[in-house]
Structures are given as C-alpha cells and as structure tokens.
C-alpha cells in the first residue's frame, strides 16, 4: 500500500526520499529564501551542485540495449535512493513569509500539486460534473436572491 502514496514536503526540516518507505513519489520543495533550507545538509548539497535530476545525475542512464543493463539498473537504484528536490524562487523576499505554507512561494507550488492530483486521480466526469453543479447552485442562489 505504501507504494501508492505520494509524499510532498514544503520546507521540511528533513529531506524525504522514496526509498525510505517505498513511496510512489516523494518531492521536497524548498524556497531559496527559506531559513530551513540550510538546516538540511542534503538540500544544501543539491542546491550547490545545481543538479536538475534526482541523484545528481545528468539524466543519462546507460542504454540497456547496449548490453550494459546491469550498470543502468544500478544507476536507477542509486537515483531512487536520493531525495528529489524542487527549489523555488522566493516570491515575498522575506524568509518568514517564504517559509509559510500558504504564502506566495509555497502556495503556488501547493496549488500546482493540487491541480496535478485532481488531473491524475479524479475522473474527468467528476470534475466536469462538480463544476456544473457549482454553476447550477450559483444560478439558483442568484435567482432566489432576486425573488
């Protein structure tokens, strides 16, 4: 069951990685201006290295068709062991505000994760039906107010 759970951390005091609990997905968001960023050694290392993919690799795995599948599998396992980081540009400029989950920096990423979740796990019919229901209730409400 843990392999179906997606974990998203915003400015956490510790970096989480997929391999710790066999999660399906594990992402650590940090604002560049967040004071907790520099308390997490792996996050500082990732930020300073400037890597763009998990594990610090350039995204090039050994081509399995070239006979080096064992090496490619080993690199894939090493990448899965490393935490995944997303570094965000500060929106407020104040470290206290940038650390806030509902502040402008993390709030934007939280909204994006919410939209991602909805598009991945909610059926299209549910989303369309929910929107139609909201519009219908709003119309009824405005008609009742006029009466």
């Amino acid at each position: 069951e843990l392999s179906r759970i997606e974990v998203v951390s915003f400015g956490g005091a510790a970096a989480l990685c997929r391999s710790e609990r066999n999660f399906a997905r594990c992402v650590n968001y940090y604002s560049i201006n967040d004071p907790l960023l520099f308390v997490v050694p792996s996050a500082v290392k990732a930020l300073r290295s400037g890597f763009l993919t998990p594990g610090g690799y350039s995204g090039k795995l050994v081509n399995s068709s070239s006979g080096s599948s064992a090496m490619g599998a080993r690199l894939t396992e090493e990448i899965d062991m490393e935490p995944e980081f997303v570094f965000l540009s500060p929106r407020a400029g104040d470290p206290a505000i940038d650390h806030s989950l509902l502040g402008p920096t993390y709030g934007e990423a939280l909204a994006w994760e919410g939209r991602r979740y909805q598009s991945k796990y909610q059926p299209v019919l549910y989303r369309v039906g929910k929107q139609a229901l909201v519009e219908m209730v709003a119309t009824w409400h405005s008609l009742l107010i006029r009466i």
Side-chain angles (χ1 to χ4, degrees), residues 8-113:
V8 181
S9 168
F10 294 91
L16 305 171
C17 61
R18 288 178 31 182
S19 63
E20 288 176 1
R21 300 274 190 259
N22 195 26
F23 294 127
R25 177 174 174 253
C26 189
V27 180
N28 298 280
Y29 283 94
Y30 284 99
S31 169
I32 302 294
N33 203 19
D34 192 327
L36 279 182
L37 171 64
F38 297 101
V39 174
V40 183
S42 57
V44 173
K45 181 181 174 187
L47 180 62
R48 289 189 178 149
S49 72
F51 72 78
L52 300 175
T53 59
Y57 297 101
S58 64
K60 296 179 183 175
L61 292 179
V62 178
N63 187 353
S64 60
S65 63
S66 66
S68 300
S69 60
M71 180 64 133
R74 185 180 65 76
L75 287 175
T76 303
E77 289 171 9
E78 287 178 13
I79 288 175
D80 284 344
M81 298 295 287
E82 293 291 325
E84 181 178 342
F85 295 101
V86 177
F87 296 105
L88 304 170
S89 298
R91 301 280 188 251
D94 179 5
I97 295 173
D98 283 330
H99 179 67
S100 171
L101 178 62
L102 298 178
T105 304
Y106 291 132
E108 188 176 321
L110 182 62
W112 184 88
E113 286 288 344

